[in-house]
């Protein structure tokens, strides 16, 4: 099995696992929470139908963008939660309090970024192949 095929299987496995996790935590409260579920489904569809490289790159780019936006939204959610608990928090104290705790986990959307990067790896060309080197 080639490395490219292994990367595709890792992409599929990661996507299915993340879909399961998002469904188990009921991650569909509003449009922004549905976006990763929809993208993961779209990503699996793109892999299943062996879409063109251009389509795959576009969808994986959306995965990365989704992860970046999700990280920002999770951060805002944690800021809101921290301020509900203590309205006097400002500056570094607010940042420190925001980074602590578990809900919502700030870096969880990073999984979308990682899956997007896996997808880009799966369709990237080896530089040696393009140059004709062994």
């Amino acid at each position: 099995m080639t490395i490219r095929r292994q990367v595709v299987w890792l992409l599929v496995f990661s996507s299915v696992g993340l879909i399961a996790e998002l469904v188990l935590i009921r991650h569909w409260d509003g449009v922004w929470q549905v976006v990763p579920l929809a993208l993961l489904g779209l990503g699996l569809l793109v892999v299943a139908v062996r879409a063109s490289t251009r389509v795959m790159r576009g969808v994986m780019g959306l995965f990365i963008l989704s992860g970046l936006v999700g990280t920002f939204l999770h951060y805002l959610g944690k800021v809101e939660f921290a301020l509900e608990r203590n309205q006097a928090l400002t500056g570094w104290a607010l940042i420190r309090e925001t980074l602590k705790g578990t809900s919502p986990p700030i870096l969880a959307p990073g999984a979308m970024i990682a899956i997007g990067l896996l997808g880009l790896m799966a369709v990237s060309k080896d530089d040696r192949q393009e140059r004709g080197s062994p």
Side-chain angles (χ1 to χ4, degrees):
M1 184 181 294
T2 66
I3 290 177
R4 182 166 300 186
R5 185 162 289 168
Q6 291 172 353
V7 170
V8 169
W9 278 110
L10 183 57
L11 168 73
V12 169
F13 179 77
S14 300
S15 295
V16 170
L18 190 52
I19 288 171
E21 180 178 5
L22 292 174
V23 167
L24 287 172
I25 65 169
R26 299 176 186 264
H27 196 273
W28 53 68
D29 186 26
V31 174
W32 288 108
Q33 287 193 4
V34 173
V35 168
L37 283 164
L39 280 175
L40 288 161
L42 178 62
L44 289 172
L45 178 65
V46 165
V47 169
V49 300
R50 296 182 179 187
S52 71
T53 299
R54 179 173 286 161
V55 170
M56 182 74 162
R57 285 183 180 149
V59 171
M60 294 303 116
L62 291 174
F63 270 58
I64 293 168
L65 180 61
S66 167
L68 294 171
V69 171
T71 300
F72 179 71
L73 292 174
H74 276 219
Y75 174 77
L76 291 180
K78 291 209 53 169
V79 166
E80 183 180 334
F81 184 70
L83 289 174
E84 283 178 9
R85 292 179 48 194
N86 183 355
Q87 293 179 350
L89 289 173
T90 59
W92 284 111
L94 177 58
I95 292 171
R96 192 171 43 254
E97 188 63 29
T98 299
L99 295 175
K100 293 186 334 186
T102 58
S103 183
I106 293 175
L107 298 179
M112 291 295 288
I113 297 170
I115 294 171
L117 292 172
L118 280 172
L120 291 177
M121 286 173 58
V123 295
S124 69
K125 293 188 180 195
D126 188 344
D127 290 339
R128 292 176 294 176
Q129 287 176 335
E130 289 184 9
R131 290 190 303 244
S133 302

